[in-house]
Amino acid sequence: MTSEFTQNKLAKSVVKLGLNTIQRHIFICADATKPECCDKAASIEVWDYLKRRLRELKLDQPTIKRPSCIFRTKANCLRVCHSGPILVVYPDGVWYHSVTIEAIDRILTEHILGNQPVQDYLFLTHPLAK
């Protein structure tokens, strides 16, 4: 059974993080315990850049002009284990390989803002079922 204290903390997290306004969720493998798909330092650099760019573009929180937001999660491993870092955008189900800072810029501009997946890095499209 969930306590009232826990429910209140969870409700505050929903508001603070904008969880009820998420339009897309970006997962990227970075900082793997046993890096196999890419250099660990490079994956952390790409992760840090993704976080910074989402903030700079004001995509990480809902605004009056844009009532939705883009959520991001660093995954230890997305189990592809080569051609990384690997990034996936849900609910679109678009999987990208060899993600670099340049790729992040293109993914955010072309896919997230422009709704056009970036073919140069895409290796699978498998949207979530409706």
Side-chain angles (χ1 to χ4, degrees):
M1 183 143 206
T2 308
S3 71
E4 184 176 335
F5 174 78
T6 299
Q7 287 294 340
N8 287 338
K9 295 285 276 183
L10 290 170
K12 286 180 183 179
S13 291
V14 167
V15 172
K16 179 182 176 188
L17 297 171
L19 297 179
N20 58 341
T21 65
I22 293 171
Q23 178 188 39
R24 289 187 172 113
H25 196 148
I26 298 172
F27 294 86
I28 187 169
C29 64
D31 198 14
T33 305
K34 296 179 184 178
E36 293 183 32
C37 74
C38 64
D39 178 71
K40 185 173 185 167
S43 72
I44 294 169
E45 181 181 23
V46 170
W47 165 249
D48 289 341
Y49 186 76
L50 173 64
K51 291 189 306 183
R52 185 169 68 249
R53 286 300 291 152
L54 285 170
R55 276 192 307 271
E56 290 170 356
L57 295 169
K58 298 185 179 3
L59 295 173
D60 63 330
Q61 291 287 318
T63 65
I64 292 171
K65 290 183 178 181
R66 183 185 170 96
S68 61
C69 68
I70 308 301
F71 213 62
R72 42 91 180 150
T73 297
K74 176 174 61 171
N76 183 280
C77 177
L78 290 174
R79 299 177 62 192
V80 176
C81 299
H82 56 82
S83 304
I86 302 297
L87 182 147
V88 61
V89 179
Y90 279 115
D92 311 30
V94 175
W95 290 73
Y96 293 106
H97 67 86
S98 308
V99 176
T100 61
I101 287 172
E102 176 190 327
I104 293 289
D105 279 332
R106 289 192 60 200
I107 291 164
L108 292 178
T109 302
E110 296 172 35
H111 183 161
I112 301 301
L113 293 173
N115 292 313
Q116 293 296 317
V118 181
Q119 297 300 317
D120 294 342
Y121 300 96
L122 190 149
F123 71 95
L124 174 67
T125 300
H126 182 70
L128 292 179
K130 294 191 183 221

